[in-house]
Amino acid sequence: MTTHETHSIPKGEDGLLALDQVVKHFDISGGLLDQLRFENGRFVRHRTTVKAVNDVSFTIVPGETFSVVGESGCGKSTLARTTLGIYPPNSGRILYRGKRIDNKNAQQMLPYRRKMQMIFQDPYASLNPRKTVMQTLEEPVVFHNPTISSSQVKDRVAEVMSQVGVDPKWAGRYPHEFSGGQRQRISIARALMVDPEFIVADEPVSALDVSIQAQILNLLMDAQTQRGLTYMFITHDLSVVQHISTRVAVMYLGTLCELSPARTLFENPRHPYTQALLSAIPKLGRRKGDHIKLKGEVPTPIHLPSGCVFHGRCVHADRRCAEEIPKIRSAEHGVIVACHGVEEGRL
Ligand code: ADP
């Protein structure tokens, strides 16, 4: 199979949310004294930068569940936070319904803040232990609708609590009085309180018991159907992704390797890294010998490899892979892949 033309950079006009060549690096150099090294008789200043997200572009379509997968440390959370404006990108553009939001100040971001909500991995850490459920849930509503009456707020809290499966009569309780699953339901309620359009869920079930995970996933899927929500779903757990995703983006070392409709990705992964990731899932009926073992270790995002960031671990890599950064290109069936081997038709 060969690939077609270079995938045009998404402009975001048709999408709900689009990233266009987004870069997010963290400067971890520390103070000036930490940065100075004595070399050849003089002091030289060295900066250390974690290259967490590198030149990432995609468009999320209204109503879809867009999952981002990859091993721990590949930049998923940074991507999620940058998408929502929690971290400003170093470069690139973020568009919401075709309008740039990465260059807006706090006041200009307010209408977007209501539309874009986040659910975190650890509901206990993300809920204020000193606030009752009522206080936690009414806060965003009052913030975004200062003229709303207190009885309207209370009705709204009760309505959303019922929707997420927490009895409204517990609104006076504190987070520690709930189980992990119930706390995550309350976190979801907090996100839903302001009628968002777009929710970024960062590993929302990873901290929960397996038996509870399915309930929370079902709750998220039901809320999506009832409210027409669009999700960006961050996870390292591919078995979760398979069931809930419309499309899946695979990241390695802060770089987008492959973006495919979920079914296509699981049936016919194109990028060698995606193939290795999927081969590690026992559930898919693969034999033990099918597990693709990658050579070497994941390089540090402080010193990114040249060319394709995956080339040092890829059994198919050649000289071009070591020298030239592969461009994101569209292949068949809505697949987008960044791999010289796929482009050349040898993979
Ligand atoms: P993931 O969510 O895939 O586990 P992260 O986005 O959390 O990955 O991290 C990507 C890389 O960026 C890691 O090397 C991590 O140590 C680094 N990183 C994340 N947040 C910060 C930060 N605030 N300051 C410095 N480095 C960070």
Side-chain angles (χ1 to χ4, degrees), residues 42-329:
R42 52 202 293 265
F43 282 105
V44 182
R45 192 171 170 184
H46 284 272
R47 289 198 166 277
T48 312
T49 314
V50 180
K51 296 164 187 80
V53 172
N54 302 295
D55 199 15
V56 171
S57 302
F58 53 71
T59 299
I60 300 179
V61 180
E64 77 171 326
T65 298
F66 184 96
S67 293
V68 181
V69 302
E71 290 158 291
S72 179
C74 73
K76 303 182 297 295
S77 290
T78 304
L79 185 71
R81 286 170 164 76
T82 309
T83 301
L84 288 185
I86 299 170
Y87 295 149
N90 293 68
S91 62
R93 303 185 308 153
I94 300 169
L95 301 113
Y96 194 84
R97 293 197 180 278
K99 299 234 163 49
R100 260 187 98 163
I101 56 168
D102 56 276
N103 54 2
K104 300 217 177 309
N105 63 31
Q107 187 64 29
Q108 292 166 331
M109 264 310 271
L110 269 183
Y112 297 97
R113 290 246 173 277
R114 193 178 71 70
K115 291 179 181 145
M116 303 161 77
Q117 292 290 310
M118 185 152 182
I119 299 166
F120 296 89
Q121 174 175 355
D122 182 353
Y124 199 58
S126 68
L127 294 172
N128 187 333
R130 282 181 290 277
K131 284 190 177 158
T132 63
V133 174
M134 174 61 85
Q135 288 167 329
T136 295
L137 296 186
E138 67 188 7
E139 191 177 63
V141 186
V142 175
F143 179 78
H144 287 287
N145 314 276
T147 54
I148 194 167
S149 74
S150 62
S151 69
Q152 281 174 311
V153 177
K154 286 196 170 39
D155 288 349
R156 178 117 187 87
V157 168
E159 180 194 331
V160 176
M161 282 183 77
S162 303
Q163 272 175 21
V164 299
V166 180
D167 194 328
K169 73 171 187 261
W170 295 342
R173 294 190 183 185
Y174 289 88
H176 73 265
E177 297 178 78
F178 294 90
S179 68
Q182 286 170 324
R183 280 199 288 266
Q184 195 57 304
R185 288 176 188 273
I186 295 163
S187 298
I188 293 169
R190 182 179 53 184
L192 296 179
M193 285 304 294
V194 289
D195 273 333
E197 295 176 330
F198 177 60
I199 292 184
V200 176
D202 189 357
E203 304 270 11
V205 296
S206 305
L208 304 175
D209 285 354
V210 176
S211 57
I212 309 291
Q213 289 187 358
Q215 294 173 14
I216 297 296
L217 290 173
N218 286 336
L219 170 61
L220 286 169
M221 296 306 114
D222 289 347
Q224 180 172 45
T225 313
Q226 286 158 10
R227 294 163 173 264
L229 293 166
T230 307
Y231 288 142
M232 179 170 171
F233 199 96
I234 310 288
T235 184
H236 68 277
D237 187 343
L238 285 160
S239 50
V240 165
V241 162
Q242 194 181 7
H243 298 296
I244 60 157
S245 312
T246 315
R247 289 188 299 155
V248 182
V250 182
M251 279 184 78
Y252 180 79
L253 265 187
T255 305
L256 185 64
C257 305
E258 177 163 358
L259 168 53
S260 295
R263 192 152 169 205
T264 312
L265 185 103
F266 282 90
E267 280 172 5
N268 183 20
R270 302 300 310 279
H271 196 286
Y273 178 62
T274 317
Q275 291 170 357
L277 261 189
L278 296 191
S279 77
I281 313 179
K283 274 190 206 156
L284 292 179
R286 287 189 167 80
R287 281 168 294 131
K288 224 177 174 188
D290 295 343
H291 186 173
I292 302 170
K293 282 211 174 63
L294 294 175
K295 48 180 185 164
E297 297 289 319
V298 184
T300 143
I302 294 173
H303 303 290
L304 287 183
S306 60
C308 171
V309 284
F310 185 60
H311 84 264
R313 309 189 71 203
C314 179
V315 288
H316 308 289
D318 62 11
R319 216 169 122 188
R320 185 180 177 207
C321 303
E323 291 171 357
E324 192 186 319
I325 297 176
K327 289 197 173 69
I328 279 282
R329 289 168 195 274

